[in-house]
Amino acid sequence: MDVPSRLGLTVEEFASLEDHLKRRTYEGTSYRFLPDYRSSLEKGTVIFEDTIIRGFPKIPRTLVLETGIPRHFDERLVAEEKLNGYNVRIARVEGDMFAFTRSGLICPFTTYVVEQMLELDAFFDDHPAVILCGEMIGPENPYTAHHYPEVASLAFRAFDIRDRSSGEPYPVKERRGWCDDHDIPQTAYLGEFDLDTATDRLPSIIDELEREQREGVVLRDPDGSSPLKYTTSSANQGDLAFAYSLPFDYGQAFTFRRLIREAFQSHEWDEEGDERRERAQALGEAILLSMTDTIETVDDGERVGEQHTVRSDPEAIDRLLDHFVEQGLTIDIESDRHENGQRVVTFTKRVQRTNDKIDAYLDGTIVDI
Ligand code: ATP
Ligand code: MG
């Protein structure tokens, strides 16, 4: 079958997408991928010579659990923990294992790391035509670092198994069973509920995640379809703090949506007086304190950027740094050392706008905002 029909598209539909596909070669294997959202195909879809790996779908969100759940689900739903890290899809294509990041790029570092961590060969021997989807989490993370007490450096947690050509998910029970069979660690299972029980129980589940500064939940139909997400206030505020530490690079796009989430949560939780004020204060601090820290850093003559630490075999780190260079990122190495045979590198991804604008404003540039 030709590529358009394998994607379920007409020749014309595929032709209108082709300009948006990018081409890369990874260790001699050539592939195309779709790095942005387009209506007819999932972002992150990858096209190899004979194989298609579907992109991971965008998960919609509800702002109000009590009304969003009955609107979205038919009868029953499964709740699992939503983890804060980076999305990875793992697939075996003609004998080679690849780990793809969200946009569909093969990440050489992640590919190396997951092959070390997981028994992937045995898994794909049993399930050759699937994509194993999960989150890479932990503090030593080249893309999205977040502290989890159970993860010292970087770990994989599966949350989905999908058919690689159709993108259809497998039922939750089946997926969890397959992962168990192969000792693949998974995101926490929080229960299966009917709709009334779900709306009753979820606030306390969220509350508990909130206290542990964890991100939230993803709810699904037990057949694996219709995912829906809901996040804790600590996740919303953590995102804001990050975005406002680099306000001119990330701040604006992040802000409105996250403020809205906080407002609806405060309403649904029936917060009163002091409680609501505490949220308001924490929200203000997440925004303002991150910005003032950044302004002060720049005023001291230092540059700001996205700092990350990674720890792995020297070879994996080399591959990661090369990968960043290939993507046109500028990386400043802050420290580079060896510990127990592994290389530990702290680096900063340089951002331009925040540094330039803050410099200019500190210098008295007159603005019309
Ligand atoms: P996108 O939806 O494009 O991935 P986003 O940053 O808006 O971007 P998030 O708000 O983080 O996405 O929510 C969706 C992401 O959550 C998924 O892409 C996946 O990487 C991650 N995730 C973490 N835990 C789970 C889980 N249990 N089930 C599904 N997705 C999960
Ligand atoms: Mg995320």
Side-chain angles (χ1 to χ4, degrees), residues 37 43 56-61 80-88 102 134-137 157-160 175 187-188 215-220 227 229 231 239 254 257-258 261:
Y37 285 105
K43 166 183 170 173
F56 190 80
K58 183 141 192 77
I59 301 180
R61 169 189 303 274
E80 292 176 297
E81 184 178 358
K82 180 179 196 303
L83 295 163
N84 186 5
Y86 66 97
N87 181 295
V88 52
R102 199 70 180 79
E135 199 84 346
M136 297 294 295
I137 57 167
R157 296 287 184 269
F159 53 64
D160 219 337
R175 179 232 306 161
T187 190
E215 193 181 29
V217 293
V218 173
L219 314 173
R220 303 168 180 270
K229 64 191 178 194
T231 47
D239 285 354
F254 264 68
R257 287 178 287 160
R258 283 167 178 83
R261 290 174 204 167

Side-chain angles (χ1 to χ4, degrees), residues 7 17 47 59 69 88 100 120 125 130 148 150 166 169 192 199 237-238 247 257 296 312-313 317 319 339 345:
L7 288 166
L17 274 176
I47 304 171
I59 301 180
I69 287 174
V88 52
F100 306 90
L120 293 173
D125 285 346
V130 306
Y148 282 99
E150 66 276 30
S166 70
E192 181 179 328
T199 49
Q237 292 180 8
R257 287 178 287 160
E296 267 141 33
S312 190
D313 293 340
I317 305 282
R319 291 193 192 191
E339 251 177 52
V345 176

Side-chain angles (χ1 to χ4, degrees), residues 56 88-89 131-135 156-162:
F56 190 80
V88 52
R89 281 167 292 147
I131 322 171
L132 174 63
C133 312
E135 199 84 346
F156 175 82
R157 296 287 184 269
F159 53 64
D160 219 337
I161 294 178
R162 292 177 175 257

Side-chain angles (χ1 to χ4, degrees), residues 218-273:
V218 173
L219 314 173
R220 303 168 180 270
D221 190 289
D223 73 5
S225 70
S226 317
L228 183 71
K229 64 191 178 194
Y230 187 85
T231 47
T232 59
S233 171
S234 109
N236 301 334
Q237 292 180 8
D239 285 354
L240 284 169
F242 165 73
Y244 276 101
S245 72
L246 300 169
F248 299 105
D249 291 276
Y250 297 114
Q252 296 177 19
F254 264 68
T255 319
F256 184 66
R257 287 178 287 160
R258 283 167 178 83
L259 294 177
I260 295 290
R261 290 174 204 167
E262 287 292 284
F264 278 91
Q265 190 174 78
S266 177
H267 168 70
E268 184 170 15
W269 271 207
D270 285 329
E271 285 174 346
E272 309 194 1

